[in-house]
């Protein structure tokens, strides 16, 4: 193989266990494997996470849910012992069949969705009540139902029928990586109101969940003692949904300016102990030497200032390597790791090819493995250079994945 992505089973499992321990006994950790497990391969990751103890998975749509089910079955876990799978994005009517067939748990937020699901269940003569989770919009204006009258209508609908059971209630924070965030504080108040409204309706969900990786690790918020209190009031269990941290990354924590502290010391250790799971490797497919004053790559954005030795790697932006990692003489770009040393990218990253400078690595040889992303050049590095977040870097990687 010229280029491939290795997924460390052991590190993925270790990250899950670390997060689980940090969350404590009162808080379960749902493992988010949406977007093909943040580019790591949901089929590879789901069985590993299940073996590490994950009882819940989060996917974005019904098709991903079906993929996760198939992977778990393939790995030898019989259907009735598999973790639950939460479909976190709004579904369309046409998804109901897949959701019911694969026993996925959809997130709902309207009576229309519930009615469509109920029709599918009737068509299939489903006996047991089908479980759904209800999303409360507490301030992202993205998904979910608002507390008050809109929530009341849904609760009323749920209360008058027996095909669908409310198993969970959730919300999502807009600023989970901000310690002492005013936005999170106001979202919490709205969520508590919504949960109180649900308690009054007499419905008794089994799960209450909120927050993400940043929450587990946020010294001000994590691990959400108030969520557990809220859940206990309903006789439910509390849960946090973690994605990015499972794969070894975390957003930098920021402090709301007025945050008074003190910052707890247990949680920052979580991020320090996360291990990156993905290593993208590519092999040198060609080497050449050039004289001073030669132009390199598209538009000749880089001109050699001395004799140089260049290596060619069979990766480019079509494979998920950001074009912002390109360099000019005036502007340094990204790098790869070759024989333990940095080899800077020179000139433009092209669609499937990238040139790196190995002048300082005389031992570099044809067929050598370079680390394109992993130890020594992380998704955080790529994100900083490309002006984005590590999430986008990881999701974009398209190479073939192998478990290691
Ligand atoms: C993606 C997602 C998460 C996980 O977020 P991370 O920051 O990756 O931990 C949690 N909840 C919802 C609803 C999401 O869409």
């Amino acid at each position: 193989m010229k280029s491939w992505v290795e997924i460390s089973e052991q590190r993925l499992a270790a990250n899950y266990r670390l997060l689980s321990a940090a969350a404590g006994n009162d808080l379960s950790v749902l493992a988010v494997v949406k977007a093909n497990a943040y580019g790591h391969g949901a089929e590879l990751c789901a069985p590993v996470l299940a073996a590490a103890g994950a009882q819940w998975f989060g996917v974005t749509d019904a098709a991903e849910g079906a993929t996760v089910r198939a992977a778990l079955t393939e790995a030898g876990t019989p259907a009735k012992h598999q973790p639950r799978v939460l479909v976190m994005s709004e579904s369309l009517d046409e998804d109901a069949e897949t959701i019911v067939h694969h026993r996925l748990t959809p997130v709902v937020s309207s009576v229309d969705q519930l009615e469509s699901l109920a029709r599918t269940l009737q068509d299939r003569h489903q006996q047991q009540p089908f479980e759904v989770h209800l999303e409360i919009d507490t301030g992202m204006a993205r998904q979910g139902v608002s507390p008050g009258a809109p929530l009341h209508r849904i609760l009323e609908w749920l209360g008058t029928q027996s095909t669908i059971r409310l198993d969970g209630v959730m919300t999502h924070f807009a600023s989970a990586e901000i310690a002492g965030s005013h936005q999170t504080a106001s979202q919490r108040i709205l969520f508590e109101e919504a949960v109180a409204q649900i308690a009054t309706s007499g419905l008794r969900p089994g799960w209450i969940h909120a927050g993400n990786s940043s929450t587990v690790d946020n010294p001000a918020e994590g691990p959400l003692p108030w969520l557990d209190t809220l859940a206990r009031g309903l006789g439910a269990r509390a849960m946090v949904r973690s994605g990015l941290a499972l794969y070894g990354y975390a957003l930098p924590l920021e402090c709301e300016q007025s945050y008074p502290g003190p910052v707890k010391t247990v949680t920052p250790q979580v991020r320090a102990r996360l291990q990156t799971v993905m290593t993208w490797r590519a092999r040198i497919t060609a080497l050449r030497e050039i004289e001073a004053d030669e132009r390199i790559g598209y538009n000749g954005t880089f001109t050699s200032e001395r004799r140089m030795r260049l290596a060619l790697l069979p990766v480019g932006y079509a494979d998920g390597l950001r074009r912002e990692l390109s360099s000019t003489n005036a502007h340094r770009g990204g790098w790869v790791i070759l024989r333990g040393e940095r080899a800077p990218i020179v000139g433009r990253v092209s669609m499937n090819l990238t040139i790196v400078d190995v002048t300082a690595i005389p031992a570099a040889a044809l067929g050598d493995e370079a680390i394109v992303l992993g130890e020594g050049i992380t998704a955080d590095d790529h994100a900083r250079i490309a002006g984005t977040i590590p999430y986008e870097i990881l999701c974009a990687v398209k190479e073939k994945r192998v478990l290691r």
Side-chain angles (χ1 to χ4, degrees):
M1 258 187 298
K2 290 198 290 189
S3 164
W4 68 98
V5 166
E6 292 171 357
I7 302 302
S8 167
E9 178 171 6
Q10 177 259 322
R11 289 176 163 206
L12 180 62
N15 289 340
Y16 180 82
R17 287 194 291 262
L18 176 67
L19 289 164
S20 209
N25 288 336
D26 297 333
L27 201 60
S28 297
V29 178
L30 174 147
V32 180
V33 293
K34 69 187 178 199
N36 199 23
Y38 294 44
H40 292 65
E43 285 163 53
L44 297 186
C45 294
V48 174
L49 290 163
Q55 310 251 337
W56 277 95
F57 286 116
V59 296
T60 201
D61 57 24
E64 281 191 351
T67 303
V68 167
R69 280 272 175 258
L72 293 170
T73 305
E74 177 92 350
T77 315
K80 63 171 187 283
H81 296 303
Q82 288 182 7
R84 313 259 323 257
V85 180
L86 188 70
V87 178
M88 302 192 300
S89 300
E90 300 268 7
S91 306
L92 291 170
D93 288 0
E94 68 203 49
D95 301 318
E97 269 297 320
T98 312
I99 285 171
V100 175
H101 179 73
H102 293 281
R103 304 168 325 285
L104 310 173
T105 306
V107 168
V108 297
S109 57
S110 74
V111 169
D112 282 352
Q113 272 175 299
L114 287 165
E115 282 178 341
S116 148
L117 188 60
R119 278 194 301 276
T120 305
L121 291 164
Q122 267 153 17
D123 292 348
R124 295 176 62 109
H125 307 291
Q126 187 87 12
Q127 297 299 320
Q128 284 148 347
F130 198 78
E131 296 182 334
V132 299
H133 285 204
L134 183 60
E135 178 160 358
I136 311 294
D137 177 18
T138 55
M140 274 191 84
R142 189 175 76 164
Q143 275 196 166
V145 59
S146 303
L151 175 58
H152 182 74
R153 272 196 295 282
I154 292 183
L155 296 175
E156 229 174 28
W157 188 94
L158 284 165
T160 55
Q161 53 76 57
S162 58
T163 39
I164 295 178
R165 198 182 89 76
L166 182 65
D167 177 59
V169 181
M170 64 177 282
T171 196
H172 194 47
F173 297 136
S175 303
E177 73 280 16
I178 314 266
S181 159
H182 300 310
Q183 193 175 15
T184 306
S186 69
Q187 288 194 266
R188 170 185 164 180
I189 291 168
L190 275 180
F191 192 52
E192 285 172 340
E193 277 173 27
V195 171
Q197 210 181 329
I198 291 161
T200 308
S201 77
L203 295 170
R204 286 292 171 267
W207 294 93
I208 304 285
H209 49 108
N212 61 1
S213 299
S214 298
T215 309
V216 182
D217 204 31
N218 184 322
E221 255 72 58
L224 296 181
W226 62 268
L227 190 68
D228 178 49
T229 310
L230 202 57
R232 276 172 202 266
L234 276 179
R237 280 194 52 91
M239 185 156 68
V240 64
R241 303 176 304 265
S242 182
L244 189 66
L246 294 175
Y247 310 104
Y249 288 93
L251 288 185
L253 270 178
E254 292 167 40
C255 268
E256 187 90 41
Q257 252 158 17
S258 58
Y259 177 60
V263 168
K264 282 191 241 147
T265 52
V266 280
T267 40
Q269 286 174 11
V270 176
R271 26 185 77 218
R273 286 163 56 202
L274 292 170
Q275 305 173 75
T276 58
V277 171
M278 175 190 286
T279 308
W280 180 2
R281 295 181 196 271
R283 300 175 69 187
I284 296 179
T285 49
L287 283 156
R288 72 172 59 209
E289 295 199 354
I290 59 165
E291 298 302 322
D293 218 24
E294 288 194 38
R295 299 176 77 181
I296 300 170
Y298 279 115
N299 304 117
T301 58
F302 192 103
T303 304
S304 57
E305 288 158 0
R306 51 189 162 79
R307 272 185 75 96
M308 286 177 89
R309 187 154 177 261
L310 303 178
L312 188 64
L313 295 173
V315 291
Y317 58 80
D319 310 300
L321 187 66
R322 293 294 292 233
R323 199 164 165 274
E324 290 92 336
L325 299 173
S326 301
S327 72
T328 67
N329 294 80
H331 173 81
R332 255 194 309 177
W335 64 93
V336 302
I337 304 292
L338 256 168
R339 297 188 175 247
E341 299 193 53
R342 285 189 183 195
I345 292 174
V346 280
R348 293 244 162 96
V349 171
S350 356
M351 192 179 287
N352 299 106
L353 293 172
T354 295
I355 302 164
V356 298
D357 178 6
V358 293
T359 314
I361 313 170
L366 209 61
D368 271 7
E369 287 177 12
I371 298 177
V372 178
L373 185 66
E375 211 132 312
I377 171 76
T378 65
D380 289 327
D381 295 320
H382 281 211
R384 186 170 25 77
I385 296 167
T388 184
I389 48 178
Y391 295 79
E392 193 186 2
I393 300 296
L394 295 169
C395 288
V397 176
K398 297 210 180 75
E399 294 297 10
K400 186 172 166 47
R401 294 158 186 84
V402 293
L403 206 57
R404 142 172 89 88

